[in-house]
């Protein structure tokens, strides 16, 4: 393109926002890399990788003449919810706007279209990992899970360096990536049945994370991997990690970094942490993003050996079909609640219209199941779609949101009743960036 060619840089009306074609893909990838402040170089390997991921009907770009300046993609995802079921979500990813084209409503146009189509498909919710906190609340998303990353000073943990393996009849064995691909998918689905907040891992995910499917031209380095086998011989946990090679004055100072640790039982989880913390030469362990109530660091004789590196929001959730969403999860106690959910419609909607999650809903729930229907009964708890997204997986407290002014009791005690129904014994955890 000639540098002298006039460009429409000041009005979003001149920008073409549309679904992309295969021919647009290199241009789209370049824009995504630009928006992520990465090298704009696009390799044939990355084009091939992303082409395999794409449902092009759900990939959008904004084009200023022939240059892509904003990107957006969604795909179907399954997320585990309290009680072991899964709901279908519209997962949002690869969102970027080039610095030259910010503040022109490009994201609003793309996300509004995508969310309307997701609601029409019958998706119960939309999900995303938010790179920047302030952006997505205005689109009805609320932070639904949080993560903590610890760095552990191994010498201070009090873990016996002579630890030789589980004392429960189980064992820890090294495996190669082929065995990881063999055992990992079935194990992970078993974990999703007992831990809510986890998104599904496709065959592409497993191939990409075990070196079988390169995302770009970066050389693949195989990590170390072990599995925990119970006394009965079932694979109940896996751990994938790397370690650097640092020595000072002929003494090892190696840091192990956890890439993946999932376990279907507490025994497997404890065994894998203790295995990693007792490897010779490992003096520090970085845990990766864990649930805030992970067994680490309190399984250590001295929990103060673990210091927090990150404590932040992670998975954000946006309700689309409130009755389907609330019917899908389990509830620890019996009770009913009338929720009044506000959900302002997106750009281009008729004045006064409501988004898909808006309305008044009667939830009647208990250990044996739940029903949720639209109702004309008086509201007991009023809140936004984003606030309901934060409450849904059980991590946030309605009492706390009320204190923050993000929910309002229309009937005394409604927030406490919401907590009794919605909060969970273990906090939700999303293990994967997408």
């Amino acid at each position: 393109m000639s540098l002298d060619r006039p460009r429409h840089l000041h009005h979003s009306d001149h920008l073409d926002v549309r679904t992309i074609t295969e021919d647009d893909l290199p241009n789209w990838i370049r824009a995504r890399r630009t928006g992520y402040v990465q090298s704009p170089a696009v390799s044939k390997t990355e084009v091939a990788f992303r082409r395999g991921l794409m449902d092009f009907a759900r990939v959008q770009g904004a084009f200023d003449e022939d240059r892509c300046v904003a990107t957006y993609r969604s795909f179907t995802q399954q997320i585990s919810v309290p009680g072991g079921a899964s709901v279908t979500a519209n997962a949002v990813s690869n969102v970027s706007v080039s610095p030259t084209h910010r503040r022109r409503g490009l994201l609003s146009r793309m996300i509004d279209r995508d969310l309307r189509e997701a609601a029409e498909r019958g998706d119960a919710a939309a999900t995303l990992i938010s790179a920047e906190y302030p952006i997505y609340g205005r689109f009805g998303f609320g932070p639904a899970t949080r993560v903590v990353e610890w760095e552990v000073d191994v010498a201070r943990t009090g873990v016996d360096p002579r630890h030789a393996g589980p004392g429960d009849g189980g064992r820890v064995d090294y495996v190669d990536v082929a065995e990881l691909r063999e055992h990992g998918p079935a194990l992970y689905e078993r974990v999703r049945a007992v831990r809510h907040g986890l998104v599904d891992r496709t065959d592409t995910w497993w191939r990409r994370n075990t070196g079988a499917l390169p995302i770009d031209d970066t050389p693949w380095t195989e990590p170390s991997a072990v599995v925990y086998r119970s006394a009965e011989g079932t694979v109940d946990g896996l751990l994938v990690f790397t370690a650097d090679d640092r020595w000072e004055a002929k003494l090892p100072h190696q840091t192990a970094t956890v890439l993946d640790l999932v376990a279907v039982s507490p025994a497997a989880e404890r065994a894998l942490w203790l295995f990693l913390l007792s490897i010779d030469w490992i003096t520090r362990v970085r845990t990766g993003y864990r649930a805030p109530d992970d067994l680490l660091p309190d399984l250590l004789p001295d929990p103060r050996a673990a210091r927090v590196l990150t404590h932040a929001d992670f998975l954000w959730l946006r309700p689309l079909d409130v009755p389907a969403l609330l019917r899908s999860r389990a509830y620890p106690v019996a009770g009913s609640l009338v929720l009044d959910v506000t959900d302002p419609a997106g750009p281009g909607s008729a004045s006064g219209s409501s988004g898909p999650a808006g309305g008044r809903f009667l939830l009647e729930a208990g250990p044996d199941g739940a029903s949720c229907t639209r109702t004309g009964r008086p509201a007991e708890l009023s809140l936004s779609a984003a606030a309901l997204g934060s409450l849904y997986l059980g991590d946030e407290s309605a009492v706390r949101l009320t204190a923050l002014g993000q929910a309002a009791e229309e009937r005394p005690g409604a927030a406490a009743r919401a907590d009794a129904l919605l909060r969970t014994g273990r906090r939700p955890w999303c293990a994967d960036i997408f």
Side-chain angles (χ1 to χ4, degrees):
M1 177 182 293
S2 168
L3 295 180
D4 297 326
R5 188 174 180 180
R7 297 173 63 82
H8 303 293
L9 293 180
H10 301 292
H11 301 287
S12 60
D13 289 345
H14 296 289
L15 301 176
D16 183 18
V17 178
R18 59 174 173 81
T19 55
I20 73 168
T21 67
E22 285 199 46
D23 290 342
D24 294 318
L25 186 55
N27 192 2
W28 186 91
I29 294 172
R30 185 180 184 90
R32 190 205 70 85
R33 294 183 68 86
T34 298
Y36 281 44
V37 201
Q38 298 171 341
S39 166
V42 179
S43 69
K44 292 181 179 179
T45 304
E46 184 172 2
V47 172
F49 172 78
R50 294 197 181 278
R51 183 182 292 118
L53 291 180
M54 300 298 191
D55 175 353
F56 284 93
R58 294 173 66 171
V59 184
Q60 299 182 66
F63 293 82
D64 187 346
E65 297 183 355
D66 60 354
R67 186 180 185 88
C68 187
V69 295
T71 63
Y72 185 102
R73 178 174 78 94
S74 70
F75 59 95
T76 298
Q77 181 183 77
Q78 299 294 319
I79 179 170
S80 61
V81 302
S86 288
V87 299
T88 300
N90 177 70
V92 176
S93 186
N94 298 142
V95 177
S96 76
V97 178
S98 295
T100 52
H101 288 72
R102 293 176 300 169
R103 309 293 184 264
R104 301 184 196 184
L106 297 179
L107 172 58
S108 295
R109 291 169 65 181
M110 294 188 292
I111 198 169
D112 177 53
R113 171 183 172 172
D114 182 57
L115 293 179
R116 281 190 283 107
E117 291 178 350
E120 290 168 3
R121 277 195 308 271
D123 293 346
T127 56
L128 54 81
I129 307 295
S130 178
E132 297 182 61
Y133 194 99
I135 295 175
Y136 292 100
R138 68 181 186 270
F139 299 110
F141 289 83
T145 77
R146 288 170 170 77
V147 289
V148 177
E149 180 181 19
W150 289 275
E151 183 178 80
V152 183
D153 183 345
V154 174
R156 293 191 57 187
T157 60
V159 172
D160 188 347
R162 298 168 299 175
H163 176 76
D168 58 2
R171 56 183 290 166
V172 175
D173 295 312
Y174 277 95
V175 294
D176 59 25
V177 291
E179 293 172 291
L180 196 60
R181 282 195 294 271
E182 176 187 353
H183 296 297
L187 169 66
Y188 183 73
E189 285 305 304
R190 291 171 59 210
V191 176
R192 289 185 67 241
V194 297
R195 191 65 186 264
H196 55 291
L198 293 171
V199 299
D200 60 323
R201 292 178 174 178
T202 63
D203 179 64
T204 297
W205 188 98
W206 286 103
R207 293 170 62 214
R208 182 183 68 192
N209 286 277
T210 55
L213 183 63
I215 187 172
D216 53 32
D217 292 336
T218 304
W220 163 257
T221 301
E222 183 172 334
S224 298
V226 298
V227 297
Y228 168 88
R229 289 186 170 89
S230 70
E232 292 72 34
T234 60
V235 174
D236 285 353
L238 67 83
L239 162 67
V240 183
F241 65 98
T242 61
D244 59 13
D245 187 19
R246 180 173 167 237
W247 292 71
E248 293 180 3
K250 205 63 173 65
L251 295 174
H253 292 274
Q254 297 191 8
T255 298
T257 300
V258 174
L259 304 181
D260 199 15
L261 193 160
V262 293
V264 77
S265 68
E269 188 174 349
R270 291 193 301 267
L272 291 171
W273 280 125
L274 292 174
F275 165 80
L276 184 60
L277 291 164
S278 61
I279 295 176
D280 291 341
W281 298 2
I282 299 297
T283 60
R284 291 190 181 276
V285 169
R286 293 185 67 131
T287 65
Y289 290 160
R290 310 298 303 172
D293 63 346
D294 197 273
L295 299 188
L296 199 76
D298 291 307
L299 66 79
L300 304 175
D302 185 354
R304 294 183 186 177
R307 68 184 182 97
V308 173
L309 298 179
T310 303
H311 187 185
D313 59 281
F314 200 65
L315 179 77
W316 289 53
L317 189 145
R318 196 250 197 257
L320 293 174
D321 184 337
V322 172
L325 205 57
L326 291 176
R327 284 196 300 263
S328 297
R329 58 155 289 171
Y331 297 86
V333 297
S336 66
L337 188 68
V338 178
L339 300 169
D340 191 69
V341 182
T342 56
D343 186 11
S349 301
S351 177
S353 64
S354 177
R360 192 168 295 173
F361 305 93
L362 169 61
L363 170 66
E364 296 179 296
D368 296 328
S371 67
C372 183
T373 55
R374 291 186 179 271
T375 183
R377 292 189 189 183
E380 296 177 302
L381 185 69
S382 297
L383 71 172
S384 67
L388 180 59
S390 293
L391 291 173
Y392 176 67
L393 291 176
D395 198 45
E396 186 54 89
S397 159
V399 171
R400 183 171 180 272
L401 290 186
T402 301
L404 287 166
Q406 297 177 23
E409 282 192 319
E410 309 297 344
R411 181 177 179 181
R417 188 152 26 101
D419 282 351
L421 287 168
L422 295 169
R423 300 210 78 179
T424 54
R426 291 296 302 271
R427 297 181 69 172
W429 176 47
C430 179
D432 298 323
I433 296 175
F434 55 87

